[in-house]
Amino acid sequence: KQEVTQIPAALSVPEGENLVLNCSFTDSAIYNLQWFRQDPGKGLTSLLLIQSSQREQTSGRLNASLDKSSGRSTLYIAASQPGDSAAYLCAAHNYGQNFVFGPGTRLSVLP
Amino acid sequence: NAGVTQTPKFRILKIGQSMTLQCTQDMNHNYMYWYRQDPGMGLKLIYYSVGAGITDKGEVPNGYNVSRSTTEDFPLRLELAAPSQTSVYFCASSYSLARGTDTQYFGPGTRLTVL
Protein backbone atom coordinates (compact mmCIF):
# COMPACT_ATOMS: atom_id res chain seq x y z
CA LYS A 1 0.00 0.00 0.00
CA GLN A 2 1.34 3.38 -1.00
CA GLU A 3 2.14 5.77 1.84
CA VAL A 4 3.12 9.41 1.35
CA THR A 5 4.82 11.61 3.92
CA GLN A 6 5.89 15.24 3.83
CA ILE A 7 8.57 17.02 5.81
CA PRO A 8 8.47 19.55 7.35
CA ALA A 9 4.87 19.84 8.52
CA ALA A 10 5.24 23.62 8.69
CA LEU A 11 7.80 26.11 7.48
CA SER A 12 8.20 29.84 8.00
CA VAL A 13 10.66 31.84 5.88
CA PRO A 14 11.36 35.52 5.18
CA GLU A 15 10.33 36.91 1.82
CA GLY A 16 12.87 36.38 -0.95
CA GLU A 17 14.28 33.11 0.31
CA ASN A 18 14.56 30.01 -1.85
CA LEU A 19 13.04 26.94 -0.20
CA VAL A 20 12.55 23.22 -0.69
CA LEU A 21 9.57 21.10 0.33
CA ASN A 22 9.99 17.35 0.58
CA CYS A 23 7.69 14.46 -0.30
CA SER A 24 8.47 10.77 0.26
CA PHE A 25 6.56 7.74 -1.02
CA THR A 26 6.98 4.04 -0.26
CA ASP A 27 5.96 2.42 -3.57
CA SER A 28 8.19 3.54 -6.42
CA ALA A 29 5.92 2.08 -9.15
CA ILE A 30 4.15 5.38 -9.59
CA TYR A 31 2.37 6.61 -12.70
CA ASN A 32 2.90 10.22 -11.79
CA LEU A 33 3.40 12.51 -8.83
CA GLN A 34 1.61 15.81 -8.40
CA TRP A 35 2.07 18.86 -6.24
CA PHE A 36 -1.02 20.79 -5.15
CA ARG A 37 -1.53 24.11 -3.42
CA GLN A 38 -4.30 24.61 -0.86
CA ASP A 39 -5.24 28.06 0.39
CA PRO A 40 -7.05 28.31 3.74
CA GLY A 41 -10.70 27.33 3.40
CA LYS A 42 -10.28 26.45 -0.26
CA GLY A 43 -9.91 23.39 -2.43
CA LEU A 44 -6.71 22.08 -3.98
CA THR A 45 -5.15 23.49 -7.13
CA SER A 46 -2.70 21.44 -9.19
CA LEU A 47 0.71 23.11 -9.52
CA LEU A 48 2.93 20.57 -11.24
CA LEU A 49 2.58 17.00 -12.47
CA ILE A 50 5.64 14.83 -13.08
CA GLN A 51 5.11 11.68 -15.11
CA SER A 52 7.06 8.56 -14.14
CA SER A 53 9.35 8.94 -17.16
CA GLN A 54 10.28 12.52 -16.24
CA ARG A 55 12.84 13.81 -13.75
CA GLU A 56 11.48 17.32 -13.24
CA GLN A 57 8.90 19.90 -14.23
CA THR A 58 9.06 23.68 -14.04
CA SER A 59 6.42 26.38 -13.89
CA GLY A 60 7.56 29.93 -13.25
CA ARG A 61 9.33 30.05 -9.88
CA LEU A 62 8.38 26.44 -9.11
CA ASN A 63 10.45 23.39 -9.92
CA ALA A 64 9.48 19.86 -8.95
CA SER A 65 11.84 16.91 -9.17
CA LEU A 66 11.20 13.19 -8.99
CA ASP A 67 13.56 10.39 -7.96
CA LYS A 68 11.63 7.12 -8.09
CA SER A 69 14.58 5.00 -6.97
CA SER A 70 14.78 6.84 -3.66
CA GLY A 71 11.03 7.42 -3.35
CA ARG A 72 11.38 11.18 -3.16
CA SER A 73 10.08 14.32 -4.79
CA THR A 74 11.00 17.89 -3.98
CA LEU A 75 9.26 21.17 -4.72
CA TYR A 76 11.65 24.09 -5.06
CA ILE A 77 10.22 27.60 -4.72
CA ALA A 78 12.52 30.41 -5.82
CA ALA A 79 12.42 33.94 -4.45
CA SER A 80 9.46 33.26 -2.16
CA GLN A 81 6.68 35.85 -1.81
CA PRO A 82 3.98 36.37 0.84
CA GLY A 83 1.46 35.22 -1.79
CA ASP A 84 3.12 31.80 -1.73
CA SER A 85 1.80 31.25 1.81
CA ALA A 86 -0.42 28.17 1.66
CA ALA A 87 -0.39 24.43 2.28
CA TYR A 88 1.43 22.33 -0.30
CA LEU A 89 0.38 18.70 -0.74
CA CYS A 90 1.95 16.03 -2.88
CA ALA A 91 0.01 13.07 -4.25
CA ALA A 92 1.32 9.81 -5.70
CA HIS A 93 -0.60 7.97 -8.38
CA ASN A 94 0.22 4.30 -8.83
CA TYR A 95 -0.87 2.21 -11.77
CA GLY A 96 -4.44 0.99 -11.39
CA GLN A 97 -4.90 2.87 -8.13
CA ASN A 98 -6.23 6.17 -6.93
CA PHE A 99 -4.19 9.13 -5.75
CA VAL A 100 -2.60 8.92 -2.30
CA PHE A 101 -2.04 12.30 -0.66
CA GLY A 102 0.56 13.40 1.84
CA PRO A 103 -0.43 15.45 4.91
CA GLY A 104 1.01 18.64 3.43
CA THR A 105 3.50 21.32 4.43
CA ARG A 106 2.07 24.65 5.68
CA LEU A 107 4.25 27.44 4.33
CA SER A 108 4.31 30.97 5.70
CA VAL A 109 6.34 33.60 3.86
CA LEU A 110 6.87 36.64 6.06
CA PRO A 111 7.07 40.14 4.51
CA ASN B 1 -16.82 26.92 -16.86
CA ALA B 2 -17.66 26.78 -13.17
CA GLY B 3 -15.48 23.67 -12.73
CA VAL B 4 -16.43 21.66 -9.65
CA THR B 5 -19.07 23.15 -7.37
CA GLN B 6 -20.12 21.92 -3.93
CA THR B 7 -23.02 22.79 -1.67
CA PRO B 8 -23.40 23.63 1.12
CA LYS B 9 -20.19 25.40 2.19
CA PHE B 10 -20.85 24.85 5.89
CA ARG B 11 -23.21 22.63 7.86
CA ILE B 12 -23.74 21.69 11.48
CA LEU B 13 -25.52 18.40 12.16
CA LYS B 14 -26.72 16.75 15.32
CA ILE B 15 -25.72 13.17 16.04
CA GLY B 16 -28.01 10.79 14.17
CA GLN B 17 -29.15 13.27 11.54
CA SER B 18 -28.67 12.65 7.83
CA MET B 19 -27.68 14.93 4.98
CA THR B 20 -26.54 14.95 1.36
CA LEU B 21 -23.50 16.85 0.14
CA GLN B 22 -23.94 17.96 -3.44
CA CYS B 23 -21.22 17.97 -6.10
CA THR B 24 -21.51 19.03 -9.73
CA GLN B 25 -18.90 19.36 -12.47
CA ASP B 26 -19.30 20.91 -15.90
CA MET B 27 -16.11 19.60 -17.54
CA ASN B 28 -17.68 16.36 -18.84
CA HIS B 29 -15.25 14.35 -16.71
CA ASN B 30 -15.81 10.63 -16.37
CA TYR B 31 -14.17 10.24 -12.97
CA MET B 32 -15.43 11.83 -9.79
CA TYR B 33 -14.23 11.47 -6.20
CA TRP B 34 -15.16 12.27 -2.62
CA TYR B 35 -12.42 12.92 -0.07
CA ARG B 36 -12.38 13.96 3.54
CA GLN B 37 -9.62 16.01 5.11
CA ASP B 38 -9.08 16.00 8.85
CA PRO B 39 -6.85 18.63 10.51
CA GLY B 40 -3.16 18.07 9.79
CA MET B 41 -3.91 15.06 7.62
CA GLY B 42 -3.88 14.35 3.95
CA LEU B 43 -7.00 13.63 1.94
CA LYS B 44 -8.64 10.25 2.45
CA LEU B 45 -10.69 8.81 -0.42
CA ILE B 46 -14.28 7.95 0.57
CA TYR B 47 -15.87 6.87 -2.71
CA TYR B 48 -15.18 7.33 -6.38
CA SER B 49 -16.98 6.84 -9.67
CA VAL B 50 -15.62 6.06 -13.13
CA GLY B 51 -18.83 6.96 -14.93
CA ALA B 52 -22.57 7.28 -14.57
CA GLY B 53 -23.99 4.25 -12.77
CA ILE B 54 -20.58 3.00 -11.55
CA THR B 55 -19.28 3.67 -8.06
CA ASP B 56 -16.69 2.03 -5.81
CA LYS B 57 -15.41 2.30 -2.27
CA GLY B 58 -12.28 4.15 -1.35
CA GLU B 59 -10.21 3.97 1.81
CA VAL B 60 -12.83 5.21 4.33
CA PRO B 61 -16.37 4.43 3.03
CA ASN B 62 -18.11 3.45 6.29
CA GLY B 63 -21.02 5.72 7.17
CA TYR B 64 -21.36 7.13 3.66
CA ASN B 65 -23.23 6.33 0.46
CA VAL B 66 -23.01 7.66 -3.08
CA SER B 67 -24.86 7.48 -6.36
CA ARG B 68 -23.99 8.62 -9.87
CA SER B 69 -27.03 8.91 -12.11
CA THR B 70 -25.53 11.54 -14.43
CA THR B 71 -22.04 12.47 -15.61
CA GLU B 72 -22.31 15.86 -13.91
CA ASP B 73 -23.52 14.99 -10.40
CA PHE B 74 -22.02 12.88 -7.62
CA PRO B 75 -23.85 13.39 -4.30
CA LEU B 76 -22.49 12.02 -1.01
CA ARG B 77 -25.03 10.84 1.57
CA LEU B 78 -24.29 10.73 5.29
CA GLU B 79 -26.64 8.48 7.24
CA LEU B 80 -26.80 8.67 11.05
CA ALA B 81 -24.14 11.36 11.44
CA ALA B 82 -21.47 10.74 14.10
CA PRO B 83 -18.87 13.11 15.63
CA SER B 84 -16.15 11.14 13.81
CA GLN B 85 -17.57 12.48 10.55
CA THR B 86 -16.67 16.05 11.49
CA SER B 87 -14.32 17.01 8.68
CA VAL B 88 -13.90 18.99 5.49
CA TYR B 89 -15.26 17.18 2.46
CA PHE B 90 -13.88 17.72 -1.01
CA CYS B 91 -15.31 16.60 -4.31
CA ALA B 92 -12.99 16.26 -7.30
CA SER B 93 -13.15 15.18 -10.91
CA SER B 94 -10.78 14.08 -13.65
CA TYR B 95 -11.08 13.03 -17.27
CA SER B 96 -9.63 9.61 -16.47
CA LEU B 97 -6.77 8.02 -14.51
CA ALA B 98 -5.39 6.09 -17.45
CA ARG B 99 -3.13 8.81 -18.78
CA GLY B 100 0.03 10.00 -17.10
CA THR B 101 -1.06 13.60 -17.56
CA ASP B 102 -4.45 13.30 -15.86
CA THR B 103 -4.97 15.62 -12.92
CA GLN B 104 -7.84 16.15 -10.53
CA TYR B 105 -9.89 19.32 -10.23
CA PHE B 106 -11.23 20.10 -6.80
CA GLY B 107 -14.29 21.87 -5.47
CA PRO B 108 -14.06 24.43 -2.64
CA GLY B 109 -15.12 21.96 0.04
CA THR B 110 -17.89 21.54 2.59
CA ARG B 111 -17.04 22.04 6.26
CA LEU B 112 -19.19 19.68 8.33
CA THR B 113 -19.47 19.64 12.11
CA VAL B 114 -21.39 16.92 13.94
CA LEU B 115 -22.36 17.75 17.52
Side-chain angles (χ1 to χ4, degrees):
Chain A
K1 178 187 173 186
Q2 177 72 276
E3 293 183 4
V4 179
T5 55
Q6 292 185 248
I7 294 174
L11 181 64
S12 186
V13 300
E15 182 176 3
E17 266 203 12
N18 302 325
L19 60 100
V20 175
L21 306 181
N22 297 294
C23 172
S24 297
F25 48 92
T26 56
D27 185 348
S28 61
I30 59 172
Y31 206 13
N32 63 48
L33 186 131
Q34 293 192 58
W35 283 91
F36 291 85
R37 171 181 172 140
Q38 184 177 25
D39 292 289
K42 300 290 179 62
L44 280 69
T45 301
S46 180
L47 295 173
L48 289 166
L49 182 153
I50 312 174
Q51 297 181 60
S52 62
S53 59
Q54 298 173 325
R55 292 298 298 256
E56 65 178 49
Q57 281 285 340
T58 298
S59 176
R61 294 182 294 108
L62 305 180
N63 176 277
S65 68
L66 175 64
D67 184 345
K68 292 194 299 179
S69 62
S70 66
R72 292 185 61 191
S73 176
T74 61
L75 179 66
Y76 174 83
I77 302 177
S80 58
Q81 303 170 358
D84 295 329
S85 297
Y88 291 82
L89 286 77
C90 65
H93 179 201
N94 287 69
Y95 294 96
Q97 299 179 29
N98 287 294
F99 290 89
V100 176
F101 285 82
T105 294
R106 294 186 307 280
L107 173 64
S108 295
V109 181
L110 306 175
Chain B
N1 285 351
V4 180
T5 57
Q6 293 183 238
T7 57
K9 286 185 169 30
F10 304 94
R11 184 72 184 269
I12 298 175
L13 284 181
K14 294 183 179 179
I15 295 173
Q17 287 186 320
S18 300
M19 76 165 294
T20 298
L21 283 66
Q22 302 291 345
C23 175
T24 300
Q25 55 91 8
D26 63 359
M27 297 174 280
N28 201 32
H29 284 167
N30 296 315
Y31 286 58
M32 296 188 73
Y33 316 82
W34 275 106
Y35 294 92
R36 60 176 287 172
Q37 184 179 36
D38 299 320
M41 307 290 285
L43 278 69
K44 301 287 187 185
L45 183 64
I46 305 171
Y47 271 96
Y48 67 100
S49 169
V50 301
I54 306 170
T55 63
D56 207 349
K57 296 177 181 179
E59 185 180 359
V60 289
N62 291 345
Y64 307 94
N65 278 300
V66 294
S67 60
R68 181 103 181 264
S69 56
T70 67
T71 299
E72 295 78 20
D73 300 306
F74 190 40
L76 177 71
R77 177 82 176 163
L78 277 71
E79 305 282 0
L80 300 175
S84 61
Q85 293 178 306
T86 293
S87 189
V88 181
Y89 292 83
F90 289 101
C91 179
S93 72
S94 67
Y95 180 74
S96 79
L97 282 182
R99 306 177 304 182
T101 54
D102 283 316
T103 187
Q104 294 185 327
Y105 296 84
F106 283 81
T110 294
R111 186 174 298 274
L112 175 68
T113 302
V114 182
L115 301 174

